[in-house]
Amino acid sequence: MTPADRPALILGARSGIARGIAAALAKRGHPLMLAARRAGELDSDVSDLSIRYNCTVTAHEFDVLDLDGHAGFLDSLPATPSIIICAIGVLGDQERDAGDAQATKLVVDSNYLAPCLFLEQAASRMAQSGGGSIVAIGSVAGDRGRAKNYVYGSAKAGFATYISGLRQKYAGSDLHVMTVKPGFVRTAMTEGMDLPGPLTSDAEPFAERVVSAMEKGRQVYSDLRWRALMAVITHLPERIFMKTKF
Ligand SMILES: NC(=O)c1ccc[n+]([C@@H]2O[C@H](COP(=O)([O-])OP(=O)(O)OC[C@H]3O[C@@H](n4cnc5c(N)ncnc54)[C@H](OP(=O)(O)O)[C@@H]3O)[C@@H](O)[C@H]2O)c1
């Protein structure tokens, strides 16, 4: 099968990382289905990608929090996806969200519950129609709870565990499930943050590495420098970790 026979569905298509991944997939010849809230605002992405890479690109209205709409959304697509990129995420505001039921629920539902329910259903359909790859974007924030972002981090931890289970469920089949754990990437999510240069990626090169890891059938992808840093952070004894500002 050529990339032209393997359409990719991009969830959260306006995300900075998703835009980079969309371009990397279009460059390889995959038809794209861009899905996002306010899909009408994707017009310029549709024309830009289709002209630049000479591929078919369509835009689709999608809100992952509309749980009852998941099946209908999948039914409405022009093709069963052969690749799904899930780039949906809500960082929230730790100080505001902690202890606030509605704000916490929004972060948990957006990063964990709703994407998991969607991917469960999509995985089953993909497995029945020849398999493919699911790329689920989590975060290194899920590796250890930190005072700075533990509402978001705990939702991403749940997401990573769910995706790990989904991966094992389909292990040995034609459906490949990959977890991506970005560190810092320059996107709307990190705008205004004081990011440490050596630990921060631009979205396009990061996206290229994600697509390349997917093509190699990797199970978990994280930048080498973040793998090394998180190996240290996750192994620090609690009493030492409590004294740090990571
Ligand atoms: N940038 C980083 O440093 C970093 C680090 C670790 C992990 N990540 C993860 O990487 C992924 C991509 O993030 P990004 O950095 O590219 O940030 P971003 O530009 O803020 O993208 C997040 C996307 O999620 C979409 N979204 C939120 N709620 C949604 C909903 N209910 N239904 C559909 N889409 C929804 C947003 O859509 P709207 O445009 O409609 O708001 C937005 O396009 C996220 O999962 C994020 O948690 C990013």
Side-chain angles (χ1 to χ4, degrees), residues 11-19 35-38 41 62-66 86-91 106 110-111 114 137-141 152 156 159 180-190 193 195 203 206:
L11 305 171
R14 248 192 319 274
S15 114
I17 294 176
R19 279 195 159 115
R37 301 181 288 193
R38 307 178 305 284
E41 292 174 17
F62 178 66
D63 183 341
V64 77
L65 296 178
D66 176 14
C86 180
I88 293 168
V90 172
L91 182 58
L106 178 68
S110 306
N111 291 293
I137 306 186
S139 172
V140 295
Y152 171 75
K156 287 294 196 187
F159 187 55
V180 177
K181 295 199 299 182
F184 292 127
V185 182
R186 286 184 196 88
T187 66
M189 189 172 275
T190 52
M193 289 183 191
L195 302 176
F206 180 76

Side-chain angles (χ1 to χ4, degrees), residues 9 11 62 64 70 74 84-88 111-126 133-137 159 162-163 166 169-170 175 177-178:
L9 171 64
L11 305 171
F62 178 66
V64 77
H70 288 178
L74 284 163
I84 294 184
I85 309 294
C86 180
I88 293 168
N111 291 293
Y112 170 64
L113 178 74
C116 291
L117 289 172
F118 180 84
L119 293 176
E120 184 71 43
Q121 197 170 152
S124 161
R125 292 188 187 212
M126 284 170 74
S133 289
I134 290 179
V135 176
I137 306 186
F159 187 55
Y162 194 100
I163 295 302
L166 199 64
K169 175 175 174 177
Y170 289 103
L175 183 64
V177 180
M178 182 172 95

Side-chain angles (χ1 to χ4, degrees), residues 68-117:
D68 293 337
H70 288 178
F73 169 77
L74 284 163
D75 289 340
S76 74
L77 293 174
T80 303
S82 184
I83 296 171
I84 294 184
I85 309 294
C86 180
I88 293 168
V90 172
L91 182 58
D93 177 320
Q94 177 61 41
E95 283 201 22
R96 183 198 65 204
D97 296 348
D100 177 329
Q102 282 311 315
T104 301
K105 188 173 176 333
L106 178 68
V107 173
V108 171
D109 287 356
S110 306
N111 291 293
Y112 170 64
L113 178 74
C116 291
L117 289 172

